[in-house]
Amino acid sequence: MEIKLVKDILAANEAIAEQNKALFAEKGVYVVNLMGSPGAGKTTLLERTIEGLKEKRKMAVIEGDIATSRDAERIAAHAIPTVQINTGGECHLDGNMVRGGLEQLNFDGIELLVVENVGNLVCPAEFNIGEDVKVMIASVTEGDDKPLKYPLMFQVSSVLLLNKTDLLPHVDFDLERFRKEALKINPRLEVMPLSCKTGEGLDTWLQWLEERSGSREG
Ligand code: MG
Ligand code: ZN
């Protein structure tokens, strides 16, 4: 009974995600679903991404949070169209919530939309929102055992950003072990170590995103 219910919920979500995807394609906007645990640096990465790409790509942001609009306020300060979705307790965004957010967003000319998901390594991985790519961000302070503990997140993501590499000398984090275990779960994963604080490694990510988001026509 319970399993059937979960299947129905996921199937209903998939239908809405497909509609979102069609809308994104029609508008020519490349959509990133940014996922990671609380404190991994999602919003800071987004700020660095805006700083690095806003002259090159017309960007917009959807901020998903359980409560508060703090992250949306940080992003809006960069003069980027920003929509806040408060999930009201839900620990992930789903297709329907994103669709609600899209109704408040003027898409015209937008080339790149980044959706910051709720901080959580579990269920955001189960709910498609119609995105082009799932990107996860982890940080060295979370420990190097995350791939084995949260395999689905690593499996569904195309890019794995490993943030806070400036802290590597101060924490017990085996970068090679982390990379190896992540790639064992998902051999196609692109692993990009970086530091939003020092800027080290950010260029690789910015270049990756610039190439993908420019290739669409609206
Ligand atoms: Mg945030
Ligand atoms: Zn959830």
Side-chain angles (χ1 to χ4, degrees), residues 5-15 126-127:
L5 181 63
V6 170
K7 274 188 182 161
D8 287 349
I9 289 171
L10 289 175
N13 181 67
E14 201 51 39
E126 294 177 34
F127 288 84

Side-chain angles (χ1 to χ4, degrees), residues 90-213:
E90 282 288 337
C91 47
H92 59 269
L93 291 177
D94 64 22
N96 198 37
M97 290 182 227
V98 169
R99 178 160 73 181
L102 294 175
E103 285 164 9
Q104 302 169 52
L105 197 65
N106 180 6
F107 267 93
D108 293 337
I110 298 295
E111 296 166 298
L112 172 60
L113 170 66
V114 183
V115 181
E116 181 182 334
N117 216 311
V118 178
N120 178 349
L121 283 180
V122 187
C123 40
E126 294 177 34
F127 288 84
N128 291 327
I129 57 171
E131 69 279 82
D132 290 287
V133 68
K134 287 182 166 75
V135 173
M136 77 166 287
I137 179 166
S139 68
V140 303
T141 53
E142 293 167 59
D144 54 21
D145 57 353
K146 291 298 168 291
L148 298 180
K149 283 189 167 175
Y150 301 96
L152 185 64
M153 180 63 74
F154 288 81
Q155 213 168 51
V156 299
S157 296
S158 301
V159 178
L160 167 56
L161 305 173
L162 179 64
N163 189 23
K164 308 189 191 181
T165 53
D166 56 293
L167 295 178
L168 274 172
H170 309 289
V171 291
D172 269 330
F173 187 97
D174 185 335
L175 180 54
E176 282 324 303
R177 176 187 160 192
F178 179 81
R179 190 196 299 268
K180 216 172 101 186
E181 291 182 352
L183 288 174
K184 202 191 285 177
I185 291 165
N186 178 359
R188 289 164 298 123
L189 196 55
E190 297 205 46
V191 185
M192 303 180 191
L194 54 81
S195 165
C196 286
K197 185 162 184 167
T198 66
E200 186 189 14
L202 262 177
D203 277 355
T204 308
W205 158 243
L206 293 176
Q207 201 181 335
W208 187 96
L209 188 56
E210 188 186 343
E211 281 167 13
R212 306 256 166 350
S213 57

Side-chain angles (χ1 to χ4, degrees), residues 14-103:
E14 201 51 39
I16 297 168
E18 283 303 320
Q19 291 168 8
N20 289 348
K21 202 179 185 69
L23 178 66
F24 295 144
E26 181 194 320
K27 300 282 186 180
V29 56
Y30 186 80
V31 181
V32 175
N33 182 359
L34 180 62
M35 305 179 292
S37 53
K42 293 184 296 303
T43 311
T44 307
L45 174 89
L46 200 36
E47 291 187 286
R48 298 292 96 81
T49 304
I50 292 165
E51 286 160 7
L53 287 185
K54 77 171 172 185
E55 305 296 325
K56 296 168 178 166
R57 297 285 176 263
K58 278 201 78 175
M59 292 180 64
V61 168
I62 292 179
E63 275 293 334
D65 264 307
I66 291 176
T68 86
S69 56
R70 286 191 180 180
D71 288 355
E73 284 158 22
R74 279 171 66 186
I75 298 305
H78 294 264
I80 293 287
T82 308
V83 170
Q84 172 77 49
I85 300 175
N86 278 137
T87 63
E90 282 288 337
C91 47
H92 59 269
L93 291 177
D94 64 22
N96 198 37
M97 290 182 227
V98 169
R99 178 160 73 181
L102 294 175
E103 285 164 9

